[in-house]
Amino acid sequence: MAERVYPADSPPESGQFSGNFSSGEFPRKPVPPPSTYVIQVPKDQIYRIPPPENAHRLQYLSRKKSKRSTCRCCFCSILAAIFILIVLAGISLAVLYLIYRPEAPKYSVEGFTVSGINLTSSSPISPRFNVTVRSRNGNGKIGIYYEKGSTVDVYYNDVDLCNGALPVFYQPAKNVTFVKTALTGSKIQLTSGMRKEMRNEESKKTVPFKLKIKAPVKIKVGSVKTWTITVNVKCDVTVDKLTAPSRIVSRKCSHDVDLW
């Protein structure tokens, strides 16, 4: 009896797998076609080790990044130091203020005599003023040095009639000082309108003048002296006549300070 011959299974096509999953067999990896090569390269060689031709570029970028990071750190350190200094200075000033309780000196005009103003002639005048200024330092622990370079001027209707300076002196704490100064002017030409106005005001015994003082001072706190500070004093002074002795009818002073 002839035996039957069964045809053999055809080989699996590309992409198909053979095997019995139920029996624990797994599909085999596809065999690469002829003339195909598979090269496996470790990951650290791909991402961490640059090829030789790019090594110098990596070094340049690394140095540049390190330099930028160093500059950023230095800039942040400088800003932090400045901020700390500002905070410490503010705390120091607050402590000094609480300890010494500084207050501005007060000024007033106590004497103001006028001479040398002739209103009957059209010739230039050479006025003279003797001014006495009262300075009160009410601070308990602060002294004031009045330095050289001060100016004192007397104005009438914005015309500078005469000028002078304050003497150099030291005013201790809790002190009242009367400062006398002589002011002179030379060849001051007044308009006919000003002469007429001054004669009218003198007849009413109310001749107004403006006194302006600019004094450089240094403040003494304990044993420490500050930088030079400028005190500006402005006073409106009205007198009864333009001859000596004249009497002050009204006076009002204000002041401000230039710290720098």
PDB file of all heavy atoms in Angstrom, residues 76-103:
ATOM      1  N   CYS A  76      25.483  89.029  41.827  1.00  0.00           N
ATOM      2  CA  CYS A  76      24.536  88.807  42.933  1.00  0.00           C
ATOM      3  C   CYS A  76      25.181  89.120  44.278  1.00  0.00           C
ATOM      4  O   CYS A  76      24.537  89.682  45.175  1.00  0.00           O
ATOM      5  CB  CYS A  76      24.038  87.365  42.895  1.00  0.00           C
ATOM      6  SG  CYS A  76      23.022  86.961  41.452  1.00  0.00           S
ATOM      7  N   SER A  77      26.468  88.776  44.421  1.00  0.00           N
ATOM      8  CA  SER A  77      27.163  89.063  45.682  1.00  0.00           C
ATOM      9  C   SER A  77      27.286  90.567  45.913  1.00  0.00           C
ATOM     10  O   SER A  77      27.112  91.062  47.032  1.00  0.00           O
ATOM     11  CB  SER A  77      28.545  88.411  45.672  1.00  0.00           C
ATOM     12  OG  SER A  77      28.445  87.012  45.529  1.00  0.00           O
ATOM     13  N   ILE A  78      27.590  91.321  44.837  1.00  0.00           N
ATOM     14  CA  ILE A  78      27.711  92.776  44.964  1.00  0.00           C
ATOM     15  C   ILE A  78      26.375  93.390  45.348  1.00  0.00           C
ATOM     16  O   ILE A  78      26.291  94.256  46.229  1.00  0.00           O
ATOM     17  CB  ILE A  78      28.246  93.379  43.652  1.00  0.00           C
ATOM     18  CG1 ILE A  78      29.695  92.942  43.413  1.00  0.00           C
ATOM     19  CG2 ILE A  78      28.159  94.904  43.685  1.00  0.00           C
ATOM     20  CD1 ILE A  78      30.241  93.354  42.074  1.00  0.00           C
ATOM     21  N   LEU A  79      25.285  92.947  44.698  1.00  0.00           N
ATOM     22  CA  LEU A  79      23.959  93.463  45.045  1.00  0.00           C
ATOM     23  C   LEU A  79      23.607  93.151  46.494  1.00  0.00           C
ATOM     24  O   LEU A  79      23.061  93.995  47.212  1.00  0.00           O
ATOM     25  CB  LEU A  79      22.914  92.861  44.107  1.00  0.00           C
ATOM     26  CG  LEU A  79      22.888  93.387  42.669  1.00  0.00           C
ATOM     27  CD1 LEU A  79      21.771  92.709  41.890  1.00  0.00           C
ATOM     28  CD2 LEU A  79      22.706  94.903  42.643  1.00  0.00           C
ATOM     29  N   ALA A  80      23.927  91.951  46.938  1.00  0.00           N
ATOM     30  CA  ALA A  80      23.638  91.582  48.324  1.00  0.00           C
ATOM     31  C   ALA A  80      24.433  92.448  49.300  1.00  0.00           C
ATOM     32  O   ALA A  80      23.903  92.892  50.330  1.00  0.00           O
ATOM     33  CB  ALA A  80      23.947  90.099  48.540  1.00  0.00           C
ATOM     34  N   ALA A  81      25.711  92.722  48.974  1.00  0.00           N
ATOM     35  CA  ALA A  81      26.536  93.556  49.856  1.00  0.00           C
ATOM     36  C   ALA A  81      25.997  94.986  49.924  1.00  0.00           C
ATOM     37  O   ALA A  81      25.939  95.590  51.004  1.00  0.00           O
ATOM     38  CB  ALA A  81      27.984  93.554  49.353  1.00  0.00           C
ATOM     39  N   ILE A  82      25.592  95.535  48.766  1.00  0.00           N
ATOM     40  CA  ILE A  82      25.026  96.890  48.753  1.00  0.00           C
ATOM     41  C   ILE A  82      23.743  96.940  49.576  1.00  0.00           C
ATOM     42  O   ILE A  82      23.517  97.882  50.359  1.00  0.00           O
ATOM     43  CB  ILE A  82      24.780  97.347  47.306  1.00  0.00           C
ATOM     44  CG1 ILE A  82      26.115  97.526  46.564  1.00  0.00           C
ATOM     45  CG2 ILE A  82      23.993  98.649  47.275  1.00  0.00           C
ATOM     46  CD1 ILE A  82      25.949  97.838  45.095  1.00  0.00           C
ATOM     47  N   PHE A  83      22.910  95.957  49.417  1.00  0.00           N
ATOM     48  CA  PHE A  83      21.655  95.918  50.181  1.00  0.00           C
ATOM     49  C   PHE A  83      21.928  95.853  51.680  1.00  0.00           C
ATOM     50  O   PHE A  83      21.286  96.546  52.482  1.00  0.00           O
ATOM     51  CB  PHE A  83      20.824  94.718  49.730  1.00  0.00           C
ATOM     52  CG  PHE A  83      19.552  94.540  50.497  1.00  0.00           C
ATOM     53  CD1 PHE A  83      18.459  95.361  50.244  1.00  0.00           C
ATOM     54  CD2 PHE A  83      19.437  93.564  51.476  1.00  0.00           C
ATOM     55  CE1 PHE A  83      17.281  95.206  50.955  1.00  0.00           C
ATOM     56  CE2 PHE A  83      18.269  93.411  52.189  1.00  0.00           C
ATOM     57  CZ  PHE A  83      17.187  94.226  51.933  1.00  0.00           C
ATOM     58  N   ILE A  84      22.892  95.040  52.074  1.00  0.00           N
ATOM     59  CA  ILE A  84      23.230  94.933  53.502  1.00  0.00           C
ATOM     60  C   ILE A  84      23.760  96.255  54.035  1.00  0.00           C
ATOM     61  O   ILE A  84      23.408  96.692  55.141  1.00  0.00           O
ATOM     62  CB  ILE A  84      24.249  93.799  53.715  1.00  0.00           C
ATOM     63  CG1 ILE A  84      23.592  92.439  53.411  1.00  0.00           C
ATOM     64  CG2 ILE A  84      24.784  93.806  55.135  1.00  0.00           C
ATOM     65  CD1 ILE A  84      24.555  91.276  53.431  1.00  0.00           C
ATOM     66  N   LEU A  85      24.612  96.941  53.246  1.00  0.00           N
ATOM     67  CA  LEU A  85      25.145  98.233  53.676  1.00  0.00           C
ATOM     68  C   LEU A  85      24.031  99.267  53.839  1.00  0.00           C
ATOM     69  O   LEU A  85      24.032 100.060  54.793  1.00  0.00           O
ATOM     70  CB  LEU A  85      26.194  98.728  52.675  1.00  0.00           C
ATOM     71  CG  LEU A  85      27.519  97.969  52.654  1.00  0.00           C
ATOM     72  CD1 LEU A  85      28.426  98.511  51.549  1.00  0.00           C
ATOM     73  CD2 LEU A  85      28.225  98.089  54.009  1.00  0.00           C
ATOM     74  N   ILE A  86      23.082  99.274  52.908  1.00  0.00           N
ATOM     75  CA  ILE A  86      21.967 100.223  53.007  1.00  0.00           C
ATOM     76  C   ILE A  86      21.140  99.943  54.257  1.00  0.00           C
ATOM     77  O   ILE A  86      20.748 100.868  54.990  1.00  0.00           O
ATOM     78  CB  ILE A  86      21.094 100.148  51.743  1.00  0.00           C
ATOM     79  CG1 ILE A  86      21.873 100.681  50.529  1.00  0.00           C
ATOM     80  CG2 ILE A  86      19.808 100.941  51.921  1.00  0.00           C
ATOM     81  CD1 ILE A  86      21.136 100.528  49.217  1.00  0.00           C
ATOM     82  N   VAL A  87      20.892  98.680  54.523  1.00  0.00           N
ATOM     83  CA  VAL A  87      20.115  98.329  55.722  1.00  0.00           C
ATOM     84  C   VAL A  87      20.858  98.742  56.987  1.00  0.00           C
ATOM     85  O   VAL A  87      20.272  99.321  57.917  1.00  0.00           O
ATOM     86  CB  VAL A  87      19.812  96.817  55.718  1.00  0.00           C
ATOM     87  CG1 VAL A  87      19.185  96.398  57.042  1.00  0.00           C
ATOM     88  CG2 VAL A  87      18.879  96.468  54.574  1.00  0.00           C
ATOM     89  N   LEU A  88      22.161  98.464  57.035  1.00  0.00           N
ATOM     90  CA  LEU A  88      22.945  98.839  58.223  1.00  0.00           C
ATOM     91  C   LEU A  88      22.995 100.347  58.407  1.00  0.00           C
ATOM     92  O   LEU A  88      22.902 100.852  59.532  1.00  0.00           O
ATOM     93  CB  LEU A  88      24.364  98.264  58.096  1.00  0.00           C
ATOM     94  CG  LEU A  88      24.486  96.734  58.166  1.00  0.00           C
ATOM     95  CD1 LEU A  88      25.920  96.308  57.954  1.00  0.00           C
ATOM     96  CD2 LEU A  88      23.976  96.226  59.513  1.00  0.00           C
ATOM     97  N   ALA A  89      23.145 101.095  57.284  1.00  0.00           N
ATOM     98  CA  ALA A  89      23.161 102.563  57.383  1.00  0.00           C
ATOM     99  C   ALA A  89      21.822 103.084  57.896  1.00  0.00           C
ATOM    100  O   ALA A  89      21.766 103.997  58.726  1.00  0.00           O
ATOM    101  CB  ALA A  89      23.488 103.174  56.023  1.00  0.00           C
ATOM    102  N   GLY A  90      20.722 102.511  57.396  1.00  0.00           N
ATOM    103  CA  GLY A  90      19.408 102.939  57.871  1.00  0.00           C
ATOM    104  C   GLY A  90      19.221 102.666  59.354  1.00  0.00           C
ATOM    105  O   GLY A  90      18.689 103.502  60.098  1.00  0.00           O
ATOM    106  N   ILE A  91      19.682 101.492  59.798  1.00  0.00           N
ATOM    107  CA  ILE A  91      19.569 101.168  61.222  1.00  0.00           C
ATOM    108  C   ILE A  91      20.412 102.126  62.052  1.00  0.00           C
ATOM    109  O   ILE A  91      19.972 102.608  63.113  1.00  0.00           O
ATOM    110  CB  ILE A  91      19.992  99.709  61.455  1.00  0.00           C
ATOM    111  CG1 ILE A  91      18.997  98.757  60.775  1.00  0.00           C
ATOM    112  CG2 ILE A  91      20.080  99.403  62.941  1.00  0.00           C
ATOM    113  CD1 ILE A  91      19.413  97.296  60.837  1.00  0.00           C
ATOM    114  N   SER A  92      21.634 102.446  61.575  1.00  0.00           N
ATOM    115  CA  SER A  92      22.506 103.369  62.315  1.00  0.00           C
ATOM    116  C   SER A  92      21.880 104.749  62.430  1.00  0.00           C
ATOM    117  O   SER A  92      21.902 105.371  63.498  1.00  0.00           O
ATOM    118  CB  SER A  92      23.873 103.454  61.628  1.00  0.00           C
ATOM    119  OG  SER A  92      24.480 102.183  61.563  1.00  0.00           O
ATOM    120  N   LEU A  93      21.317 105.254  61.322  1.00  0.00           N
ATOM    121  CA  LEU A  93      20.680 106.568  61.362  1.00  0.00           C
ATOM    122  C   LEU A  93      19.483 106.576  62.303  1.00  0.00           C
ATOM    123  O   LEU A  93      19.249 107.552  63.027  1.00  0.00           O
ATOM    124  CB  LEU A  93      20.256 106.977  59.945  1.00  0.00           C
ATOM    125  CG  LEU A  93      21.387 107.308  58.969  1.00  0.00           C
ATOM    126  CD1 LEU A  93      20.820 107.590  57.583  1.00  0.00           C
ATOM    127  CD2 LEU A  93      22.194 108.494  59.461  1.00  0.00           C
ATOM    128  N   ALA A  94      18.715 105.490  62.275  1.00  0.00           N
ATOM    129  CA  ALA A  94      17.561 105.418  63.167  1.00  0.00           C
ATOM    130  C   ALA A  94      17.998 105.424  64.630  1.00  0.00           C
ATOM    131  O   ALA A  94      17.391 106.102  65.475  1.00  0.00           O
ATOM    132  CB  ALA A  94      16.744 104.164  62.860  1.00  0.00           C
ATOM    133  N   VAL A  95      19.070 104.696  64.935  1.00  0.00           N
ATOM    134  CA  VAL A  95      19.566 104.671  66.315  1.00  0.00           C
ATOM    135  C   VAL A  95      20.075 106.044  66.729  1.00  0.00           C
ATOM    136  O   VAL A  95      19.800 106.532  67.840  1.00  0.00           O
ATOM    137  CB  VAL A  95      20.678 103.604  66.449  1.00  0.00           C
ATOM    138  CG1 VAL A  95      21.352 103.705  67.812  1.00  0.00           C
ATOM    139  CG2 VAL A  95      20.095 102.215  66.257  1.00  0.00           C
ATOM    140  N   LEU A  96      20.830 106.708  65.835  1.00  0.00           N
ATOM    141  CA  LEU A  96      21.331 108.052  66.150  1.00  0.00           C
ATOM    142  C   LEU A  96      20.187 109.031  66.362  1.00  0.00           C
ATOM    143  O   LEU A  96      20.243 109.890  67.255  1.00  0.00           O
ATOM    144  CB  LEU A  96      22.246 108.543  65.025  1.00  0.00           C
ATOM    145  CG  LEU A  96      23.603 107.846  64.901  1.00  0.00           C
ATOM    146  CD1 LEU A  96      24.353 108.366  63.678  1.00  0.00           C
ATOM    147  CD2 LEU A  96      24.438 108.071  66.161  1.00  0.00           C
ATOM    148  N   TYR A  97      19.155 108.918  65.538  1.00  0.00           N
ATOM    149  CA  TYR A  97      18.013 109.819  65.699  1.00  0.00           C
ATOM    150  C   TYR A  97      17.329 109.598  67.048  1.00  0.00           C
ATOM    151  O   TYR A  97      16.951 110.554  67.739  1.00  0.00           O
ATOM    152  CB  TYR A  97      17.013 109.608  64.557  1.00  0.00           C
ATOM    153  CG  TYR A  97      15.783 110.474  64.667  1.00  0.00           C
ATOM    154  CD1 TYR A  97      15.811 111.798  64.241  1.00  0.00           C
ATOM    155  CD2 TYR A  97      14.605 109.973  65.216  1.00  0.00           C
ATOM    156  CE1 TYR A  97      14.684 112.605  64.351  1.00  0.00           C
ATOM    157  CE2 TYR A  97      13.477 110.770  65.320  1.00  0.00           C
ATOM    158  CZ  TYR A  97      13.526 112.086  64.896  1.00  0.00           C
ATOM    159  OH  TYR A  97      12.415 112.880  65.013  1.00  0.00           O
ATOM    160  N   LEU A  98      17.163 108.345  67.431  1.00  0.00           N
ATOM    161  CA  LEU A  98      16.513 108.060  68.712  1.00  0.00           C
ATOM    162  C   LEU A  98      17.363 108.524  69.891  1.00  0.00           C
ATOM    163  O   LEU A  98      16.833 108.914  70.933  1.00  0.00           O
ATOM    164  CB  LEU A  98      16.227 106.556  68.819  1.00  0.00           C
ATOM    165  CG  LEU A  98      15.182 106.001  67.839  1.00  0.00           C
ATOM    166  CD1 LEU A  98      15.083 104.497  67.975  1.00  0.00           C
ATOM    167  CD2 LEU A  98      13.826 106.655  68.075  1.00  0.00           C
ATOM    168  N   ILE A  99      18.685 108.481  69.729  1.00  0.00           N
ATOM    169  CA  ILE A  99      19.571 108.880  70.833  1.00  0.00           C
ATOM    170  C   ILE A  99      19.662 110.396  70.948  1.00  0.00           C
ATOM    171  O   ILE A  99      19.515 110.971  72.031  1.00  0.00           O
ATOM    172  CB  ILE A  99      20.971 108.269  70.646  1.00  0.00           C
ATOM    173  CG1 ILE A  99      20.895 106.736  70.779  1.00  0.00           C
ATOM    174  CG2 ILE A  99      21.956 108.841  71.662  1.00  0.00           C
ATOM    175  CD1 ILE A  99      22.205 106.037  70.491  1.00  0.00           C
ATOM    176  N   TYR A 100      19.886 111.087  69.809  1.00  0.00           N
ATOM    177  CA  TYR A 100      20.182 112.518  69.856  1.00  0.00           C
ATOM    178  C   TYR A 100      18.962 113.412  69.597  1.00  0.00           C
ATOM    179  O   TYR A 100      18.970 114.574  69.962  1.00  0.00           O
ATOM    180  CB  TYR A 100      21.279 112.854  68.845  1.00  0.00           C
ATOM    181  CG  TYR A 100      22.612 112.240  69.208  1.00  0.00           C
ATOM    182  CD1 TYR A 100      23.057 111.076  68.581  1.00  0.00           C
ATOM    183  CD2 TYR A 100      23.427 112.813  70.171  1.00  0.00           C
ATOM    184  CE1 TYR A 100      24.276 110.503  68.908  1.00  0.00           C
ATOM    185  CE2 TYR A 100      24.653 112.255  70.506  1.00  0.00           C
ATOM    186  CZ  TYR A 100      25.069 111.099  69.873  1.00  0.00           C
ATOM    187  OH  TYR A 100      26.272 110.540  70.201  1.00  0.00           O
ATOM    188  N   ARG A 101      17.935 112.879  68.956  1.00  0.00           N
ATOM    189  CA  ARG A 101      16.732 113.664  68.669  1.00  0.00           C
ATOM    190  C   ARG A 101      17.081 115.022  68.047  1.00  0.00           C
ATOM    191  O   ARG A 101      16.804 116.081  68.601  1.00  0.00           O
ATOM    192  CB  ARG A 101      15.948 113.901  69.958  1.00  0.00           C
ATOM    193  CG  ARG A 101      15.421 112.634  70.599  1.00  0.00           C
ATOM    194  CD  ARG A 101      14.258 112.080  69.823  1.00  0.00           C
ATOM    195  NE  ARG A 101      13.677 110.891  70.464  1.00  0.00           N
ATOM    196  CZ  ARG A 101      12.619 110.249  70.013  1.00  0.00           C
ATOM    197  NH1 ARG A 101      12.032 110.661  68.906  1.00  0.00           N
ATOM    198  NH2 ARG A 101      12.155 109.189  70.621  1.00  0.00           N
ATOM    199  N   PRO A 102      17.713 115.045  66.853  1.00  0.00           N
ATOM    200  CA  PRO A 102      18.152 116.325  66.284  1.00  0.00           C
ATOM    201  C   PRO A 102      16.982 117.206  65.860  1.00  0.00           C
ATOM    202  O   PRO A 102      15.940 116.719  65.430  1.00  0.00           O
ATOM    203  CB  PRO A 102      18.974 115.900  65.061  1.00  0.00           C
ATOM    204  CG  PRO A 102      18.407 114.566  64.687  1.00  0.00           C
ATOM    205  CD  PRO A 102      18.008 113.905  65.961  1.00  0.00           C
ATOM    206  N   GLU A 103      17.172 118.504  65.988  1.00  0.00           N
ATOM    207  CA  GLU A 103      16.197 119.482  65.526  1.00  0.00           C
ATOM    208  C   GLU A 103      16.940 120.646  64.885  1.00  0.00           C
ATOM    209  O   GLU A 103      18.083 120.955  65.247  1.00  0.00           O
ATOM    210  CB  GLU A 103      15.315 119.983  66.664  1.00  0.00           C
ATOM    211  CG  GLU A 103      16.071 120.721  67.767  1.00  0.00           C
ATOM    212  CD  GLU A 103      15.143 121.239  68.849  1.00  0.00           C
ATOM    213  OE1 GLU A 103      14.566 120.416  69.575  1.00  0.00           O
ATOM    214  OE2 GLU A 103      15.014 122.479  68.968  1.00  0.00           O
TER     215      GLU A 103
END
